[in-house]
Amino acid sequence: MAPSLLLASSCLLLASVVTAKVCNDYTGHGVDAAWSAKDVPIMVLMPMNESALMSSISQGIEPAVQLAIRHIRESGNYSFSLITKIYDTECDNAKGLRAFFDAICYGPKHLMIFGGVCPSVTSIIAESLGGWNLVQLSFAATTPVLADKKKYPNFFRTVPSDNAVNPAVVKFLNYYNWSRVGTLTQDVQRFSEVRNDLTSELEKANIQIADTESFSNDPCVNVKKLKDNDVRIIIGQFDENLASKVFCCAYNLNMYGSKYQWIIPGWYQGNWWEQANSTNCTTKKLLTAMEGYISVDFEPLSAKRKKGISRRTPQEYELEYTREREQKGVEASKFHGFAYDGIWVIAETLKSVMKLLQKRHDMYHNMTVDDREVGKMVLDVMNETNFFGVTGQVMFRNGERMGTIKFTQFQGKCEVKVGEYNAIADVLDLINNTIRFQGVEPPKDQTIVHQQRRDISVPLYSILSTITILGMLMAGGFLFFNIKNRNHRLIKMSSPYMNNLIILGGMLSYASIFLFGLDGSFVSDKVFETLCTVRTWILIVGYTTAFGAMFAKTWRVHAIFKNVKMKKKIIKDQKLLIIVGGMLLIDLCILICWQIVDPLKRTVEKYSLEADPQGRDIAIRPFLEHCENTHMTIWLGIVYAYKGLLMLFGCFLAWETRNVSIPALNDSKYIGMSVYNVGIMCIIGAAVSFLTRDQPNVQFCIVALVIIFCSTITLCLVFVPKLITMRTNPDAATQNRRLKFTQNQKKDDSKTSTSVTSVNQTNTSRLDTLQTDNHSLRMRITELDKELEEVTMQLQDTPEKTPYIKQNHYQDVNNILSIRNFTDGKDGEKSVLKNHLEQKPQAQWGSMDPSRINRGPLEDINSPEHIQRRLSLQLPILHHAYLPSIGGVDASCSPTSSPASSPRHRQHMPPSYRVMVSGL
């Protein structure tokens, strides 16, 4: 209680002590004659001065009080008449205490006090009633403070307390299944008390209070907080002056309509939005925001057409009250029915107490009862009050009226009653089809959030799965082709086992697409978490298997053809398998460590709320499932670094072997193209996939297309050229090999040739011997080539010595050609050139046409025969002696032929020239 109230109460008690001798004695030990008098005085306390606050209530009460006294007298059931004496409190604490003190001291001895309108004055007087053995019955004091029976034990009221609406509100909330609310309270004691009691009631009913806001003057900040906390059902406690500000803020924040429900006090004056509008919102805006609010207040008159204790229905009483009020020319008061029933409560109480006193007197003639005992009797009798009045059933529970609470709704500039709550029966009765919500259904107590998984579209998954299946069928076709033709020279030289690994890696990569498309809409959370690991393993192992096999093949070509020491180089497929296995072992080490240390787990990423596309009163909260772990960046960095180094190594090998032009052996050009395409697509795919991680359809589409493109391109570049070659020219590989390596060997001996991909281990010692002999003969060839060059120069300078040269050096030339033929042949096989020389030695070197003998020297030197002889000697010299020194490769070890050895050159060369060059 405020200090001023305590001071006033203390003054009242002090005054009662000082004036105890002159005031009426309310503490006597005997029953006063007032209890047996015909006229029973009743003290009435209320503000009557028109300038006083709440005086309009009192002015409308007096006609109801007089009407009740008349009806009591007319009923004939009471042996006494009530006499009321009104004392004006002027709604002022000091004046109210003075009026009460004067009534106690100078007025008749009042058996009860009726009245109490202003909360502050009423609370002061009610607190001191115990010292006077008096009971007060109020008809208008609704403040919850007076409900404290420890402090105000002698206080009753026929009007329900402000707290009485809270059980009704809870019942109303339960009716519409609203389990989440927010409160907005004016920072005044009266409203704070109501809110505190409401909080207790809500907790008992398991209704969540999402937010509690209090304000003093500007409620907009608090209203916005309610909106931010997604409060849809708002219970307000504020007066009409601030109600206009609240609804103006609600209008500006769009907190009205079908999504919100406001519940406010129902005791505002009519058209309060016009009288109390101090905002910058127009009346139209206020009415728009106010539309549909629910107001809760006590029922001033019962709606039941039932005759009560006065033998009148509430409607009949209202007509009489209206006539009485109009005769006196006063405004109606909403508390007149409670005042009317209050007089009846006093009459019933006095009647019952008098009967008890009379009964005791009859039993005990000499027994006396003091005022304290009479006061207790009055309290007990009032708590047992139970009759039907004009305001409904009149009952008290701990001094509080168990009344009827009405619900009204603001509909089109007026309030319409939509239901009522009977506190005695604890029943909520809503009038059918009277509540009109702004939407098709009552508002939700909060935004209904539908968790919506951002899953992969089924049509998209079906399309990409179909493409993947086609890719796997293509890979299966390549596998069938590779196995079926594994003994064919073209396929055998390209390492069919490595080709199988390439196909296997491609098929594993294809298979990972099916797993990447499975999310929570297809599988459970536990299965999804398992798929996170499985699909990662499959993709990584598939990539390493495919490209590891390709790079191993390229490494073998590089190791053989970059063997500058001309030593024997035997690299079998088993060694290549070991290399691929080592790469896979590194992958397994990384993956196992990843799985043990920081395994992939299912994580859910939730996004901000989105409006329902169908316009329903719900919100969509998208969520997306990811496969992540704590140190995802580190593990991906390790994998990317390893795969990147592997790809760089493959690029290096492809570049180094770019000039090895044996299609059956060398895939460097296609590997380079594959690495280029795969690298570019992986970089683009990884970047776009990271940027679209919140769009699963786009991300899955990009990842799937990148895998499909890379796998398909790789397989096609490796196998399509072989397939085309096998289709168009099955012997092209063999022919090309003979032209590149040993153009003089016969076709029937090609199966015994030394293959780059497979060398017969039984011929190893023989090859070593042949290579040693080959080296010695090359040195001899070089010496003889120099000698031939000298002879050729002499031949050019002294044409007359030609016969001598022809005769003396024929044997040397033959030796040179024989040696060369030995170095090119296998197992003593004779070259075409040697056969040609043995068949026609005389025609070319030993004989002279008689017609040429008579020619002159110069003419003989420039004759076609001499030119042919010089060319036949010089071309071998140039080929064998000079081409190796400028980068050419001889026929014994190089796949690169001289230009003259190609079929195109041989076709346009004279016969004798062609024979000589082909022997090279």
Side-chain angles (χ1 to χ4, degrees), residues 2-12 97:
S4 59
L5 298 181
L6 291 175
L7 180 60
S9 179
S10 300
C11 293
L12 177 62
L97 286 174

Side-chain angles (χ1 to χ4, degrees), residues 417-551:
K417 183 178 178 180
V418 294
E420 62 181 29
Y421 168 76
N422 189 333
I424 299 174
D426 191 26
V427 174
L428 175 66
D429 183 18
L430 296 180
I431 303 174
N432 294 332
N433 302 323
T434 53
I435 295 184
R436 296 188 306 185
F437 294 106
Q438 302 298 301
V440 295
E441 60 182 0
K444 307 298 182 182
D445 57 4
Q446 60 182 324
T447 301
I448 303 300
V449 179
H450 285 187
Q451 301 289 337
Q452 186 179 77
R453 177 186 288 105
R454 288 186 175 177
D455 51 11
I456 295 173
S457 172
V458 175
L460 177 64
Y461 182 76
S462 302
I463 293 173
L464 292 176
S465 297
T466 302
I467 298 175
T468 302
I469 292 174
L470 294 177
M472 297 184 74
L473 292 176
M474 179 194 70
F478 288 151
L479 181 62
F480 174 78
F481 166 78
N482 189 71
I483 295 175
K484 180 180 179 181
N485 299 282
R486 63 184 180 278
N487 294 323
H488 194 280
R489 183 174 301 277
L490 178 65
I491 304 302
K492 190 173 184 180
M493 292 176 67
S494 66
S495 300
Y497 294 112
M498 294 296 102
N499 293 341
N500 290 341
L501 288 181
I502 294 173
I503 296 172
L504 177 61
M507 296 185 76
L508 288 176
S509 300
Y510 281 129
S512 66
I513 297 176
F514 298 109
L515 303 182
F516 275 104
L518 296 177
D519 53 20
S521 60
F522 296 99
V523 297
S524 63
D525 295 345
K526 186 176 182 180
V527 174
F528 179 82
E529 190 166 298
T530 304
L531 290 178
C532 290
T533 302
V534 173
R535 69 190 189 186
T536 304
W537 282 54
I538 290 178
L539 182 60
I540 292 177
V541 171
Y543 175 89
T544 302
T545 303
F547 281 89
M550 292 176 62
F551 297 157

Side-chain angles (χ1 to χ4, degrees), residues 486-497 556-557 560-561 568-574 576 662 664-665 737 741 750-764 767 826:
R486 63 184 180 278
N487 294 323
H488 194 280
R489 183 174 301 277
L490 178 65
I491 304 302
K492 190 173 184 180
M493 292 176 67
S494 66
S495 300
Y497 294 112
R556 178 164 62 182
V557 176
I560 292 175
F561 286 95
K568 176 190 61 165
K569 202 76 172 181
I570 301 176
I571 302 176
K572 297 185 178 181
D573 286 349
Q574 290 83 348
L576 301 184
I662 304 177
L665 294 176
R737 180 178 175 277
F741 283 83
S750 63
K751 294 183 180 180
T752 62
S753 64
T754 304
S755 175
V756 178
T757 59
S758 58
V759 180
N760 193 345
Q761 293 184 358
T762 59
N763 295 329
T764 301
L767 286 175
K826 291 183 180 180

Side-chain angles (χ1 to χ4, degrees), residues 69-129:
I69 293 174
R70 187 171 71 242
H71 290 169
I72 290 172
R73 187 171 57 249
E74 292 175 355
S75 66
N77 294 330
Y78 303 92
S79 60
F80 56 85
S81 297
L82 297 178
I83 304 299
T84 58
K85 175 65 175 177
I86 299 177
Y87 296 89
D88 187 7
T89 61
E90 300 185 32
C91 256
D92 182 85
N93 294 342
K95 294 179 180 180
L97 286 174
R98 175 64 180 266
F100 174 69
F101 181 76
D102 289 344
I104 291 292
C105 291
Y106 307 115
K109 187 175 182 180
H110 303 91
L111 299 183
M112 292 188 67
I113 301 175
F114 183 67
V117 177
C118 302
S120 59
V121 177
T122 304
S123 60
I124 293 175
I125 296 174
E127 189 174 2
S128 62
L129 293 176

